[in-house]
Amino acid sequence: MSGKPNIIVILADDMGSWALGCAGNDEIHTPNLDRLAAEGMRFDHFFCTSPVCSPARASILTGRMPSQHGVHDWICSGNVNRSELREEVQSQPIFADERTAIEYLAGQLTYSELLAEAGYACALSGKWHLGASAVPQKGFERWFSIARGGCSYMKPDMVENGEVTLMDGYVTDLITDRALDFLNEISQQDNPFYLSVHYTAPHSPWDRSEHPDSYVSMYEDCPFDSVPELPLHVNQITSAPHGEGERRKELLRGYYASVTAMDDGIGRIIARLEEQGLREQTLIIFTGDNGMNMGHHGIWGKGNGTFPLNMFDTSVKVPAIFSHPGVIPAGLVRSELVSQYDIFPTLLAYAGLSNPDPYPLPGRSFLSLLRGEEDDGHEDIVIYDEYGPVRMIRTQAWKYVHRYPYGPHELYDLQNDPNEDVNRIDDAACESVLKDLRRRLGEWFGKYTDPSKDGRIAPVTGNGQLAPLGVGITEGSAFK
């Protein structure tokens, strides 16, 4: 075993930062994640780079923001070569938008590639959703993935050994089982390992038939006071599951049940590490791709739960737990602002690696925070987000949301209005703050944006991305 740490990254799908017991939710059952937080460090102001899955996942892996890597919406085409699917799979309506497999991150360096070059054995179990899902990419040797993005929990479309099949079984358990298989294999090697465990939970569907009754029944009598029950937001999209009264509770039961099922799977992974004597040699990271509203602000969904797309904290904040016994101090909660684009430099620093790519990246390592050290520089960190033509700048005190080209724009005083209820955009008393935030927003995106992948001119509506931006592809033809 080398001196480099093993690394496991567990990524949830559509999990709000509020959906954890250790974050103060006393209705949801997450004992293993709560234990992981107690034995490690939790960040309560950790932000996605875009409040939808594929762009956020691309940013985690590359360290680039969407206007650098060019993934601006969830990928609805390019996941598989439809003509190569078996007939019974090809005929499924879920593959209607598929044509030819596309590697959306082709030519863009990822931290998993750098880990592999440094001798790490790399494995992926679960959701990929960055194109060409049937082909192992970016340094991964072992590969068990979802054919598209979302899927049925009980009849998921999975990729194994390059073939897409509709499997019988609860997808959360399938992902955990294969992760444990990979862990058994790679832990026998002399070199360190990197394991990505990408659950589809707690993404919809939330129907009772999609989840084991043992988990749903845990919430049969739950009042769900941990989630606000508000009138439907005026901009709520109709395609997202939503409801009032008993329908609301049915959806929340499914959501909470899927989180608890995932938590059980995480408990099995931790137990296996302990059985193998590897827990003290392994960094475990748990986080999410984007936030989620389950009635918050009257919204059901994430950034594309409304149109125009939204940037509420419940859409852009994600859970984040880092645990490595003996290295990361136990039981600490950090309030510094941290973003997904900081993960790339942090993981490289944690593994003692450097980034050979001169491409300018927006993030910075927060390794000092993980060590329990004070980092004065992080007190001034500003978070930037984007979803197509919608951009956000957020400080500890203020948030400004700018929608190109015409608005509407939003300004929130987070110190006096943490729930973002009062839009101060037209308040003359905030004019100097607004002017400063607009300047900083423009300067930051001007510094890092690749003009060929600029989200401001991409007609992103939240309905999906069909092709990469770039040579031969117009912005209009790349989106639904």
Side-chain angles (χ1 to χ4, degrees):
M1 177 79 187
S2 77
K4 294 189 181 300
N6 303 312
I7 302 171
I8 298 178
V9 173
I10 303 171
L11 189 62
D13 192 355
D14 282 6
M15 185 166 176
S17 60
W18 49 268
L20 278 170
C22 57
N25 188 325
D26 60 3
E27 292 184 321
I28 199 163
H29 300 280
T30 55
N32 294 296
L33 286 169
D34 296 347
R35 173 194 166 192
L36 200 65
E39 295 175 349
M41 184 179 295
R42 184 174 66 84
F43 289 79
D44 62 3
H45 284 77
F46 207 101
F47 295 84
C48 63
T49 57
S50 182
V52 72
C53 52
S54 297
R57 291 163 186 268
S59 291
I60 290 172
L61 282 166
T62 66
R64 303 182 182 196
M65 64 181 193
S67 282
Q68 290 177 305
H69 58 60
V71 181
H72 284 287
D73 208 349
W74 60 276
I75 291 170
C76 60
S77 187
N79 295 297
V80 294
N81 287 317
R82 189 179 180 195
S83 63
E84 297 178 2
L85 301 178
R86 290 186 301 170
E87 185 176 346
E88 63 269 27
V89 176
Q90 187 181 131
S91 62
Q92 296 292 319
I94 56 177
F95 294 103
D97 283 329
E98 298 297 345
R99 299 293 182 270
T100 303
I102 302 168
E103 293 189 21
Y104 277 77
L105 298 184
Q108 302 189 51
L109 187 66
T110 63
Y111 70 72
S112 54
E113 289 175 290
L114 292 174
L115 290 175
E117 289 175 6
Y120 275 76
C122 300
L124 166 75
S125 181
K127 179 172 176 174
W128 175 244
H129 209 187
L130 291 169
S133 299
V135 182
Q137 301 173 47
K138 299 304 181 183
F140 289 102
E141 301 171 5
R142 296 164 176 84
W143 186 270
F144 177 71
S145 67
I146 313 295
R148 301 166 299 120
C151 63
S152 163
Y153 277 87
M154 291 300 189
K155 195 77 171 179
D157 45 296
M158 308 296 295
V159 174
E160 190 163 33
N161 300 321
E163 185 174 2
V164 178
T165 59
L166 300 178
M167 290 190 174
D168 291 315
Y170 190 51
V171 68
T172 301
D173 293 338
L174 294 174
I175 292 171
T176 302
D177 291 344
R178 196 63 79 250
L180 293 174
D181 291 342
F182 288 156
L183 187 57
N184 289 340
E185 295 172 16
I186 58 184
S187 64
Q188 300 303 312
Q189 303 178 11
D190 292 332
N191 49 333
F193 64 79
Y194 170 78
L195 174 61
S196 276
V197 187
H198 294 182
Y199 289 106
T200 62
H203 194 288
S204 61
W206 304 308
D207 305 277
R208 181 179 287 269
S209 61
E210 290 282 350
H211 303 277
D213 188 66
S214 58
Y215 293 112
V216 178
S217 61
M218 294 175 67
Y219 299 100
E220 201 65 56
D221 299 319
C222 181
F224 296 107
D225 294 331
S226 53
V227 181
E229 186 169 7
L230 299 170
L232 203 61
H233 194 284
V234 65
N235 295 328
Q236 171 72 46
I237 62 170
T238 58
S239 58
H242 60 276
E244 301 175 352
E246 183 55 31
R247 175 58 177 162
R248 167 184 176 269
K249 289 186 176 181
E250 288 176 3
L251 295 172
L252 288 169
R253 285 187 195 107
Y255 187 87
Y256 278 42
S258 64
V259 170
T260 300
M262 175 178 62
D263 183 86
D264 273 1
I266 293 168
R268 292 171 60 200
I269 292 170
I270 297 172
R272 182 64 55 86
L273 286 173
E274 292 173 340
E275 291 167 7
Q276 295 174 325
L278 295 173
R279 183 65 188 94
E280 283 69 32
Q281 302 166 44
T282 305
L283 166 66
I284 299 178
I285 300 171
F286 173 79
T287 188
D289 56 358
N290 48 255
M292 189 66 179
N293 300 276
M294 295 294 289
H296 304 80
H297 299 283
I299 299 169
W300 293 76
K302 51 236 181 199
N304 60 355
T306 60
F307 191 81
L309 308 167
N310 76 83
M311 288 283 182
F312 288 116
D313 265 9
T314 38
S315 294
V316 298
K317 283 178 67 173
V318 296
I321 299 171
F322 294 73
S323 179
H324 190 174
V327 180
I328 296 176
L332 292 184
V333 179
R334 311 276 334 199
S335 59
E336 290 87 352
L337 306 183
V338 186
S339 171
Q340 286 174 341
Y341 47 64
D342 299 323
I343 292 177
F344 182 104
T346 302
L347 279 183
L348 292 185
Y350 203 94
L353 304 177
S354 59
N355 178 16
D357 191 348
Y359 192 90
L361 298 179
R364 56 169 289 185
S365 170
F366 53 92
L367 179 59
S368 60
L369 297 181
L370 292 179
R371 289 174 172 163
E373 303 167 1
E374 293 303 317
D375 184 347
D376 294 337
H378 260 90
E379 291 300 318
D380 298 320
I381 288 292
V382 175
I383 298 296
Y384 298 89
D385 255 77
E386 61 176 319
Y387 193 171
V390 183
R391 289 180 173 173
M392 179 200 85
I393 175 173
R394 189 197 191 282
T395 67
Q396 288 280 10
W398 292 91
K399 175 188 286 189
Y400 172 59
V401 179
H402 189 96
R403 294 181 175 89
Y404 292 91
Y406 305 121
H409 311 310
E410 296 169 76
L411 179 68
Y412 296 104
D413 176 358
L414 299 175
Q415 290 185 327
N416 297 302
D417 178 26
N419 198 48
E420 303 169 272
D421 291 324
V422 181
N423 183 3
R424 304 283 296 278
I425 194 68
D426 295 321
D427 189 336
C430 302
E431 185 175 350
S432 61
V433 171
L434 178 60
K435 183 178 180 180
D436 178 62
L437 293 176
R438 277 182 171 158
R439 175 187 59 80
R440 296 168 74 179
L441 184 74
E443 289 178 351
W444 193 87
F445 277 97
K447 179 178 180 180
Y448 294 109
T449 294
D450 178 340
S452 69
K453 298 170 182 174
D454 192 338
R456 290 178 303 173
I457 56 175
V460 177
T461 62
N463 291 316
Q465 185 161 345
L466 294 162
L469 295 177
V471 178
I473 299 291
T474 64
E475 289 81 0
S477 65
F479 299 92
K480 290 185 78 174

